[in-house]
């Protein structure tokens, strides 16, 4: 069986380099292209060398068309406008698009959903297999304990630009789905000053930033006289890359549609 040919978008970033290294170690996946923004100073460099490996024979480029045309999947940890553009190209090429980009606006989400009519798109605020399982547990706990207050606390490195994190929002949506409510109408993203008592049904978020923290998340369910804490600690960025590669592998041969990591793990109800 031939290898699954994977394009890495944002190849010069920390996640991109991690993906390149993991693809080099894979038995059934291979690097097919490495994309970066047009202003990047190292365009034309060998992607393997950029990732600290021996030459891969694939150079860093800002032109997605030729590499996508020769691929089975693209893994994308970039920025919202780039992910939207790549989703359209993946739809044209009928390849799998794995999206780990966070900070997507509703308009971005709508465009990606439209592209998923023609491509297999696996999108998640966190590609970790452990976080995917955590979200399933949060959904069940929120449903089983409807009177418990829910608070989500997350911490990331000092350079993260969006808050709450995509993972925190993913966990918030899981809790909201467990209670059959809309997160948009019940999310509480900050407290300051005299806020008054907590609203029933609110799902609270607190975001911490500092140092080099890869990612820590806690979902707290607080009830009368007791508290449940469900948590995940990311110790290595490679867990996100491993999950993304698993999603690219899983998507081969699937019908076009918008999927989540829960589908990859068989956790969707």
């Amino acid at each position: 069986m031939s290898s699954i040919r994977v394009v890495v978008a944002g190849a010069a970033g920390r996640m991109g380099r991690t993906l390149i290294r993991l693809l080099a170690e894979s038995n059934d996946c291979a690097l097919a292209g490495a994309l970066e923004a047009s202003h990047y100073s190292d365009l034309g460099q060998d992607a393997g060398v950029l990732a600290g490996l021996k030459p891969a024979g694939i150079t860093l480029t800002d032109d997605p068309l030729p590499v996508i045309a020769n691929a089975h999947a693209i893994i994308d940890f970039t920025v919202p406008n780039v992910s939207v553009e790549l989703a359209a190209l993946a739809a044209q090429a009928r390849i799998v698009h794995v999206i780990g980009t966070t900070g997507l606006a509703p308009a971005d989400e709508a465009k990606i959903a439209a592209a998923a009519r023609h491509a297999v798109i696996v999108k998640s605020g966190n590609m970790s297999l452990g976080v995917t399982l955590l979200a399933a547990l949060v959904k069940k706990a929120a449903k089983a304990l409807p009177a418990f207050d829910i608070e989500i606390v997350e911490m990331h490195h000092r350079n993260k630009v969006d808050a709450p994190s995509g993972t925190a929002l993913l966990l918030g949506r899981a809790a909201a789905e467990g209670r059959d409510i809309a997160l948009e109408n019940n999310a509480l993203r900050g407290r300051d000053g005299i806020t008054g008592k907590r609203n029933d049904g609110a799902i609270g978020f607190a975001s911490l930033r500092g140092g080099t923290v890869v990612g820590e998340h806690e979902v707290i369910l607080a009830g009368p006289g007791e508290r449940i804490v469900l948590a995940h600690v990311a110790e290595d960025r490679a867990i996100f890359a491993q999950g993304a590669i698993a999603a690219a592998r899983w998507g081969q041969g699937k019908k076009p549609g918008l999927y989540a990591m829960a589908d990859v793990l068989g956790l969707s109800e």
Side-chain angles (χ1 to χ4, degrees):
M1 179 180 175
S2 59
S3 294
I4 299 169
R5 296 178 57 79
V6 180
V7 173
V8 174
R14 286 176 297 181
M15 187 60 66
R17 297 181 195 213
T18 301
L19 282 163
I20 291 169
R21 289 192 290 269
L22 289 177
L23 287 170
E25 299 171 0
S26 174
N27 294 321
D28 63 348
C29 296
L31 183 67
L35 295 173
E36 257 304 341
S38 58
H39 64 265
Y40 191 73
S41 59
D42 287 331
L43 289 176
Q45 278 200 22
D46 185 275
V49 173
L50 196 64
L53 306 172
K54 64 183 180 180
I58 293 173
T59 57
L60 205 62
T61 179
D62 62 352
D63 185 0
L65 291 176
V67 292
I68 286 178
N70 192 35
H72 301 111
I74 180 168
I75 298 178
D76 165 19
F77 289 86
T78 59
V79 294
N81 64 305
V82 173
S83 293
V84 169
E85 177 185 351
L86 292 176
L89 294 176
Q92 293 173 20
R94 302 296 197 269
I95 67 170
V96 176
H97 186 189
V98 179
I99 303 176
T101 302
T102 59
L104 295 159
D108 301 324
E109 300 275 10
K111 291 175 182 176
I112 289 170
R117 293 198 292 265
H118 306 287
V120 173
I121 296 181
V122 182
K123 184 176 72 67
S124 178
N126 189 304
M127 290 289 165
S128 157
L129 303 181
V131 164
T132 303
L133 179 58
L134 174 61
L137 296 174
V138 168
K139 182 177 179 179
K140 289 183 179 296
K143 182 177 182 179
L145 302 168
F148 279 49
D149 298 323
I150 298 176
E151 294 286 324
I152 299 171
V153 182
E154 55 101 345
M155 183 169 186
H156 285 81
H157 54 87
R158 68 191 312 273
N159 294 318
K160 186 170 179 60
V161 298
D162 59 311
S165 69
T167 304
L169 293 172
L170 180 154
L171 295 171
R173 290 190 189 97
E177 289 173 7
R179 293 187 173 173
D180 197 25
I181 60 176
L183 178 62
E184 292 73 16
N185 298 333
N186 293 276
L188 181 59
R189 296 197 179 192
R191 296 183 177 93
D192 186 34
I194 307 301
T195 61
K197 67 183 291 292
R198 192 184 199 283
N199 292 333
D200 291 339
I203 298 175
F205 292 88
S207 298
L208 312 180
R209 297 288 179 267
T212 58
V213 177
V214 175
E216 298 183 6
H217 294 83
E218 288 188 352
V219 179
I220 302 166
L221 295 98
E226 59 181 334
R227 185 169 69 248
I228 296 170
V229 179
L230 301 172
H232 180 271
V233 176
E235 299 177 344
D236 189 333
R237 202 172 303 278
I239 65 172
F240 310 124
Q242 290 164 347
I245 292 172
R249 185 183 293 118
W250 174 87
Q252 302 303 311
K254 296 293 188 299
K255 293 181 179 179
L258 185 57
Y259 299 93
M261 285 300 291
D263 297 298
V264 176
L265 286 187
L267 295 173
S268 297
E269 294 181 355

